[in-house]
Amino acid sequence: MAGKSPARLLPWLGIALAVIVLDQAVKTLIISTFALGDSRTVTSFFNLVRVHNTGAAFSFLAGASGWQRWFFVGLGAAAAAFIVWMLLTHGGQRVFGWALSLILGGALGNVIDRLMHGYVVDFIQLHHKGWYFPSFNVADSAISVGAALLILDELRRVRRA
C-alpha cells in the first residue's frame, strides 16, 4: 500500500466502512429492542443498555444546551478529512493504517448518530462490585483499539530508531 494513489485508500476505507456498518447495525438493533434506560444483564460484569449520550467521551459536555451536537459533528468531519489525508500519505504503514481506519470508522459511526438522532447511542455497560464504567458502543471500541494501535506503532517506531 505504498504511494499516494487514491486507489491505495480503498482497503483502509473498506475497514472504516465495516466498522460503520457493524456499529450502525448493532445500534439499530438496540434502538428497536430497548426503550431508553432499559438494561439487560448478560454476565456478572456486562449489561446491554440503551443510553443516549449528547456529549463526548464519558458524557463530556452532555449537559450543554445543544450546541455540542454540531461542534462534535464538525470535529468528527474535520478528523475524518485529516485521517483520510494521513491514510493517503502514509497508507503503506500497516499498523498505522489499521489504527487510522478503526478511528475513522468509529468517528464517522458516532457522527452518523449525531446527525440522525442528535445523540450517540451507547449500549455496552461494564461493571464490577457497584462500579460502572461509562456506557459505550462499537464505534467507541474501534476508536479505542485504533488509539492503542497508534501508541503501539509509535513505540515500535521509537524502538527501531
Side-chain angles (χ1 to χ4, degrees):
M1 286 193 207
K4 293 186 180 183
S5 165
R8 301 284 184 184
L9 278 174
L10 292 179
W12 301 128
L13 295 179
I15 293 166
L17 181 61
V19 169
I20 293 167
V21 168
L22 177 62
D23 178 63
Q24 291 299 306
V26 176
K27 287 174 179 174
T28 299
L29 181 64
I30 292 296
I31 289 170
S32 67
T33 308
F34 289 73
L36 179 61
D38 278 357
S39 177
R40 294 201 183 123
T41 301
V42 178
T43 70
S44 63
F45 61 89
F46 168 59
N47 298 338
L48 286 176
V49 299
R50 179 173 169 188
V51 178
H52 297 169
N53 182 0
T54 57
F58 307 112
S59 297
F60 174 68
L61 292 177
S65 61
W67 62 266
Q68 73 276 23
R69 174 186 187 184
W70 302 110
F71 174 75
F72 291 128
V73 166
L75 189 62
F82 178 70
I83 289 170
V84 169
W85 176 78
M86 291 293 289
L87 285 169
L88 187 59
T89 57
H90 301 286
Q93 300 172 31
R94 288 192 86 118
V95 175
F96 190 67
W98 269 97
L100 291 180
S101 296
L102 292 171
I103 294 169
L104 177 62
L108 291 178
N110 284 337
V111 164
I112 290 168
D113 276 14
R114 290 183 195 287
L115 290 171
M116 286 179 40
H117 310 296
Y119 51 81
V120 173
V121 177
D122 289 332
F123 54 88
I124 300 168
Q125 183 181 64
L126 301 175
H127 57 89
H128 180 70
K129 294 184 180 180
W131 175 84
Y132 287 80
F133 190 77
S135 298
F136 58 99
N137 58 45
V138 171
D140 299 332
S141 299
I143 292 168
S144 296
V145 170
L149 286 174
L150 279 178
I151 293 167
L152 175 67
D153 187 54
E154 186 59 24
L155 290 173
R156 287 178 45 202
R157 193 180 339 276
V158 167
R159 199 174 201 195
R160 285 191 300 255

